[in-house]
Amino acid sequence: MDSRGFILLQLVVLWSLATTAFSLSPYYYQNICPQALPTIRKVVEAAVYKERRMGASLLRLHYHDCFVNGCDASLLLDPSPTIDSEKNSRANQNSARGFEVIDAIKAEVDQICGRPVVSCADILAVAARDSVVALGGPSWQVQLGRRDSTTASRAQADTDLPSPFLDLPALINSFKNHGLNERDLVALSGAHTIGFAQCFTFRNRIYNATNIDPAFAVERRATCPLTGGNTNLAPLDPTPAHFDTAYFNNLVKQMGLLISDQALFSGGSTDDLVNTYKLYPQVFWYDFAQSMIKMGNIKPLTGDQGQIRANCRLVNYY
């Protein structure tokens, strides 16, 4: 082997070792702090028991974190002279919620572990899974070992978080930009089987859309007037506190609440998949779990990158 080939081989081996050393693993905390995951589950279950809507809110935090520069807990950082907080972005301001539950999880986990060893990014990922399970949905092995960012970007959040007003091509492109395909798009949109949306996000649809069930539009207008009431809530599907396939049933009946929901069943390339999930809940559950794992792998910080925050809302400066 000539010297160039030997050097290339060394580089390949080093890359392989680095990838192995810093890849995520569901067993990351097994030796570091074996009580970490049960502690997260306990706090999530208590929060969801207290308020069923909180499950959807915690799941949404993980989505909105991963779609902006990867799953690095940048969403959790409060505004400061050096942090242009993603909490103030269009999609999150007066909308993202559940931060106090993440704080409670962090406090309990750090206490049980004796020190800050569990990242806020991992807490978001595990809390999302535990929220889905608490509301009757599937479970999956969360890949762990993420570290926390030291920066945030409101501008990036404004650019990268999918709008509820997007049509299908724009949705497909948005997810493609994060390494997610059409199957991921439909499966992950199925998260709208739980939770609520504010009036301003669906007003245009219920008053102006043509691909909407007339009786459904009238029902939603009762709590979402043409003017005012922007923050009035409506369920994303008929069973907002239960993880099921009612969301997909609604899409087939032209009763999707958001423009971006109904876009998934509008004569386009995702219609067949919506029908599949409607008819075969077990297929949806499997695909949702796989897509959540895939989304959780978007650009994580690992190894010596980032930090493990002592407070999820603040960057460590020591």
Side-chain angles (χ1 to χ4, degrees):
M1 181 184 295
D2 64 21
S3 59
R4 286 177 300 177
F6 181 71
I7 291 171
L8 180 60
L9 177 61
Q10 284 184 310
L11 289 173
V12 169
V13 170
L14 287 171
W15 177 86
S16 177
L17 288 172
T19 302
T20 302
F22 299 135
S23 61
L24 302 181
S25 164
Y27 310 110
Y28 184 82
Y29 296 108
Q30 196 168 56
N31 296 320
I32 299 172
C33 183
Q35 287 305 306
L37 299 193
T39 301
I40 296 172
R41 183 176 65 247
K42 181 188 71 173
V43 179
V44 169
E45 288 175 347
V48 174
Y49 179 80
K50 181 180 179 181
E51 183 197 10
R52 301 283 284 177
R53 182 187 170 203
M54 185 55 68
S57 298
L58 294 174
L59 176 59
R60 187 169 182 253
L61 288 182
H62 184 43
Y63 272 72
H64 282 213
D65 180 44
C66 290
F67 266 63
V68 184
N69 292 322
C71 309
D72 60 2
S74 57
L75 171 59
L76 302 179
L77 290 171
D78 281 343
S80 76
T82 58
I83 297 294
D84 191 12
S85 179
E86 293 165 24
K87 294 179 180 180
N88 293 330
S89 68
R90 287 189 296 269
N92 292 324
Q93 192 171 42
N94 300 318
S95 175
R97 60 194 298 274
F99 299 109
E100 72 283 357
V101 177
I102 300 301
D103 292 341
I105 293 171
K106 178 64 171 169
E108 290 218 21
V109 167
D110 284 358
Q111 183 178 26
I112 202 78
C113 296
R115 65 195 192 284
V117 294
V118 180
S119 69
C120 302
D122 277 348
I123 287 173
L124 284 174
V126 176
R129 188 269 312 275
D130 292 347
S131 293
V132 169
V133 173
L135 294 175
S139 186
W140 59 92
Q141 280 195 317
V142 178
Q143 300 295 306
L144 301 166
R146 300 169 190 80
R147 289 169 64 84
D148 300 324
S149 72
T150 57
T151 61
S153 175
R154 179 177 61 172
Q156 202 67 42
D158 283 336
T159 299
D160 287 353
L161 291 173
S163 161
F165 311 113
L166 295 183
D167 60 15
L168 183 58
L171 286 168
I172 291 171
N173 188 61
S174 175
F175 275 63
K176 181 181 178 181
N177 288 341
H178 295 92
L180 302 170
N181 58 33
E182 287 187 30
R183 199 171 191 93
D184 299 315
L185 163 63
V186 181
L188 292 173
S189 295
H192 285 181
T193 188
I194 54 176
F196 294 78
Q198 296 184 38
C199 168
F200 79 93
T201 65
F202 58 86
R203 177 183 285 120
N204 184 48
R205 172 160 165 74
I206 62 174
Y207 284 98
N208 299 313
T210 56
N211 62 338
I212 189 169
D213 178 83
F216 174 71
V218 170
E219 181 184 3
R220 290 280 72 89
R221 290 171 191 166
T223 55
C224 183
L226 264 173
T227 57
N230 279 354
T231 59
N232 291 354
L233 297 175
L236 285 160
D237 85 351
T239 56
H242 188 67
F243 197 97
D244 53 24
T245 56
Y247 170 77
F248 298 108
N249 294 336
N250 264 20
L251 297 188
V252 172
K253 294 185 289 187
Q254 294 195 320
M255 293 166 62
L257 184 62
L258 306 176
I259 290 172
S260 57
D261 289 331
Q262 196 58 56
L264 302 178
F265 193 84
S266 56
S269 58
T270 54
D271 281 16
D272 287 346
L273 194 52
V274 169
N275 264 320
T276 297
Y277 291 161
K278 170 183 174 287
L279 295 171
Y280 304 104
Q282 68 275 20
V283 177
F284 167 53
W285 278 35
Y286 176 83
D287 282 359
F288 181 81
Q290 294 304 305
S291 292
M292 285 296 293
I293 293 170
K294 188 174 177 181
M295 184 184 75
N297 285 333
I298 297 176
K299 296 194 300 186
L301 301 176
T302 60
D304 294 328
Q305 299 172 317
Q307 60 183 216
I308 305 296
R309 291 185 210 138
N311 180 333
C312 288
R313 296 172 181 259
L314 304 170
V315 173
N316 300 340
Y317 287 111
Y318 51 82

